[in-house]
Amino acid sequence: MVLNCIGADIEMTFANKKAIITKGKSQWSYDIPYTAEKQNEWIKDNTGWWYNFADGNWAKGWERLPWSGGTNEFYFNNNGYMVTGWQKLQKNEIEGWFYFDVNTGCMLTGWQKLQWLGGVDWFYFDEGGFMLTDWQELEWSGGVDKFYFDKVNGNMKTGWILDEIHWFFLDKITGAMKKGWVFDNNYWYWLDKETGIMATGWLKENGKTYYLEPNPTLNQGHAYQNTVVTIDG
């Protein structure tokens, strides 16, 4: 800082670390400590992580911040601390479930295998971080398949599910909805090629006729093979 004092006039300029003060015909100089410009920064205390802005304010609510060479979304509670894990929050005036990495606090998107109810399960979060539920068509393994996520908890379902009045079969490993013939527990079942709905009663497929058990109490939907079936009506 350069400070010039001539009579009652004062003129101030800045120059590195050196200050030169002139008054009348006298002149002297001295070093002043250099103070770096305040930067945005992550800070951790005994409670957790918070983000301090250069202007002295700290992050609250939703913030997109620099992270690992790019940016990511974080959420800070009313006290300014970064949240982690499962959180039920409002975003763009919509309430939903989100998951924030337990180590970094980054909001997760896409397919995620997470700890849940004492085990692990698959979930899917859209680009905004919202956990998806119900039927969803999603990219998977180079294509698009239909998946079902619990309407309350959001975990991906596998195997047989009853949705309203119809049965569907979801691959026991991938969760993708199956279509056509499916072999399960020593029985064959037919799932509609378009909707995936399990068929019952008479079925004609590829020039052959099949009978699929219609009674819900008798392993409904399984195909009879080499068996004489008595059909009422």
Side-chain angles (χ1 to χ4, degrees):
M1 177 178 68
V2 177
L3 175 64
N4 294 315
C5 302
I6 303 175
D9 297 326
I10 299 176
E11 180 181 353
M12 298 178 65
T13 58
F14 293 87
N16 299 328
K17 302 179 183 179
K18 183 70 68 178
I20 300 175
I21 300 177
T22 303
K23 184 176 182 181
K25 295 182 179 180
S26 300
Q27 177 173 313
W28 64 94
S29 65
Y30 63 91
D31 289 327
I32 58 175
Y34 174 72
T35 302
E37 182 180 352
K38 193 172 180 63
Q39 302 290 325
N40 299 337
E41 60 180 338
W42 285 98
I43 301 174
K44 187 178 183 181
D45 60 23
N46 292 333
T47 302
W49 283 97
W50 51 290
Y51 193 83
N52 194 50
F53 292 109
D55 61 7
N57 293 313
W58 60 83
K60 286 186 179 180
W62 289 101
E63 292 285 355
R64 178 171 286 277
L65 301 172
W67 181 260
S68 189
T71 62
N72 209 306
E73 287 193 78
F74 301 82
Y75 189 86
F76 300 84
N77 64 23
N78 291 334
N79 294 320
Y81 287 100
M82 179 188 77
V83 302
T84 61
W86 287 105
Q87 301 290 332
K88 192 173 187 179
L89 304 168
Q90 277 207 345
K91 188 178 186 182
N92 300 326
E93 299 183 355
I94 301 173
E95 187 176 64
W97 281 98
F98 301 81
Y99 192 86
F100 299 86
D101 187 275
V102 294
N103 295 311
T104 67
C106 291
M107 182 192 76
L108 301 186
T109 60
W111 286 104
Q112 300 292 337
K113 195 172 188 180
L114 303 172
Q115 290 187 342
W116 181 74
L117 293 181
V120 293
D121 222 330
W122 283 100
F123 299 82
Y124 192 90
F125 302 86
D126 67 14
E127 292 181 354
F130 287 91
M131 180 190 76
L132 298 186
T133 61
D134 213 336
W135 289 105
Q136 302 289 339
E137 287 191 356
L138 302 171
E139 292 185 1
W140 176 82
S141 189
V144 176
D145 275 303
K146 203 167 185 178
F147 300 83
Y148 185 83
F149 300 89
D150 188 90
K151 292 181 180 180
V152 176
N153 299 313
N155 56 308
M156 184 190 76
K157 295 295 187 179
T158 60
W160 290 104
I161 64 163
L162 179 64
D163 186 30
E164 302 297 339
I165 61 173
H166 298 298
W167 283 97
F168 299 84
F169 189 81
L170 310 172
D171 189 280
K172 292 183 177 181
I173 296 177
T174 68
M177 186 179 74
K178 304 292 286 184
K179 298 176 181 179
W181 287 109
V182 168
F183 189 72
D184 183 58
N185 289 332
N186 298 317
Y187 288 103
W188 284 99
Y189 300 83
W190 175 259
L191 308 172
D192 187 88
K193 290 182 178 180
E194 296 296 327
T195 65
I197 295 174
M198 183 190 75
T200 60
W202 292 106
L203 169 71
K204 288 187 177 181
E205 176 64 24
N206 289 334
K208 295 183 179 181
T209 301
Y210 304 88
Y211 186 73
L212 311 173
E213 177 59 57
N215 193 327
T217 64
L218 297 175
N219 196 15
Q220 187 181 33
H222 81 270
Y224 285 97
Q225 301 180 75
N226 305 316
T227 303
V228 176
V229 181
T230 301
I231 302 173
D232 293 337

